[in-house]
Amino acid sequence: MSSKTENMYKDTAAGAGSRAVDEKVLENEENAILSVRDLHTTFHTDSGEVHVVNGVSFNLTRGKILGVVGESGSGKSVTAYSIMQILAENGRVTGGQILYKGEDILKYNKKQMDSFRGEKCSIIFQDPMTSLNPTFTVGWQLREALQLHTGYKTRQAANARAIELLKMVGVNEPESRIKQYPFELSGGMRQRVMIAMALACEPDILIADEPTTALDVTIQAQILELMKDLQKKLGMAIILVTHDLGVIASMCDEVIVMYGGRVCERGTADDIFYRPCHEYTKGLLRSIPSAGNMKKKLIPIGGTPINMLALPEGCAFCPRCANAMKICLTQQPEELEMPDGHFASCWMNVKEAYEEEHNGKAGA
């Protein structure tokens, strides 16, 4: 690609509304219970600074489910942990804002943050066995959450509420279960206990970080159905972090696709599945089986996930992209609005927009 054409692409990108995504994030902020603006999270290691989240922005609307999807190492879980402020000791948020009902939680003191966690926002972790303490009973751990964050201060009141919560999440014989230890329960049962613990304070926001990865398929379906039912019943907003596109398709109102700590594409599930506009999203969809490609060989994404210690100047997906151009090596693509209204950050879209404009002028 010549430098002249490259400059034309840049001009086309600028003219195509490169700031539209910022406007999109801001336009429904009144309805958003959580707004993440230009979030940057870094980890300090012996090998250098690892920039894991690089300018992520989104709105979470009341009563909606937002899916965050991507490969391992894409920054999706770190985004969730940044919201909860539960990063490892060597991690810190280096830029941006996280607004809960208009207040920047990054400015909260320890007491405010302790109140935010649990009462306002709860999280379900990937593996309940590493999240539940094996030396305490299920009842003790539920009572602790209730007595710390709610009005159920006495053991009797907290115990009664714990039994109610276990019934709510479909645990059989809850009166007996509260006396058991986590290792005495099955994986699906432990995950239900984790959901009950997350819901103990009736939070406005629930973050589910790969909530079904450690479970078999039938239990996965039950847990996902349970989360949908509880979300409708309690009116919570949910951030669902996963690498499973099947989960995204069945659960989410809006989807964010992440790679290299950045947002590649955002839109509804229909936008992502039927009208993908980023090469990474297309690669993800080509690599999963469907009813239409049962006799075809699946096409995996080539190469290996990006080294976050050595992020390229341009598009993070460029080294693995079959359609990469020269501009992809040196310039990060802006998130641009597609004709159907969803957003993607890929130079191929700029190229197509430029060619359409150029051919239109030539035809005139």
Side-chain angles (χ1 to χ4, degrees), residues 33 61-64 203-204 229-237:
I33 194 163
T61 309
R62 298 171 190 273
K64 299 292 184 181
D204 296 323
D229 289 344
L230 291 172
Q231 186 260 339
K232 289 176 182 175
K233 191 181 295 182
L234 302 175
M236 295 180 302

Side-chain angles (χ1 to χ4, degrees), residues 1 61 63 82 96 110 134 155 164 260 284 354:
M1 183 193 300
T61 309
S82 298
K110 186 179 183 302
R155 179 188 173 94
E164 283 179 20
L284 288 176
Y354 165 74

Side-chain angles (χ1 to χ4, degrees), residues 215-289:
L215 308 175
D216 61 60
V217 176
T218 54
I219 302 300
Q220 278 187 27
Q222 292 175 19
I223 294 297
L224 293 173
E225 194 61 36
L226 169 65
M227 287 177 61
K228 284 178 73 174
D229 289 344
L230 291 172
Q231 186 260 339
K232 289 176 182 175
K233 191 181 295 182
L234 302 175
M236 295 180 302
I238 296 179
I239 299 176
L240 180 60
V241 177
T242 184
H243 64 272
D244 190 335
L245 287 169
V247 171
I248 290 292
S250 63
M251 288 280 291
C252 300
D253 299 296
E254 189 177 354
V255 180
I256 288 176
V257 182
M258 287 186 67
Y259 187 81
R262 301 187 184 110
V263 176
C264 298
E265 193 162 359
R266 70 176 79 222
T268 64
D270 284 348
D271 292 332
I272 300 302
F273 279 86
Y274 299 114
R275 298 177 294 277
C277 291
H278 194 284
E279 295 303 303
Y280 176 59
T281 311
K282 293 174 185 177
L284 288 176
L285 294 171
R286 283 195 298 266
S287 64
I288 58 173

Side-chain angles (χ1 to χ4, degrees), residues 292-305:
N293 64 0
M294 294 299 287
K295 296 183 179 179
K296 296 180 182 177
K297 185 178 179 180
L298 296 179
I299 305 170
I301 298 174
T304 56

Side-chain angles (χ1 to χ4, degrees), residues 14 24 29 73 96 98 106 110 162 165 180 213 220 229 245 253 260-261 264 276 287 298 306 345 358-359 361:
K24 182 74 174 177
E29 202 166 273
I98 302 172
L106 296 176
K110 186 179 183 302
L165 289 166
Q180 292 183 303
T213 300
Q220 278 187 27
D229 289 344
L245 287 169
D253 299 296
C264 298
S287 64
L298 296 179
I306 193 168
S345 57
H358 184 73
N359 292 337
K361 288 179 180 177

Side-chain angles (χ1 to χ4, degrees), residues 150-180:
T150 70
Y152 299 93
K153 298 302 181 184
T154 67
R155 179 188 173 94
Q156 187 177 3
N159 230 34
R161 179 57 177 161
I163 291 170
E164 283 179 20
L165 289 166
L166 291 177
K167 283 181 181 176
M168 186 190 299
V169 298
V171 173
N172 63 337
E173 300 178 9
E175 294 84 358
S176 302
R177 300 299 183 190
I178 61 171
K179 299 173 185 176
Q180 292 183 303

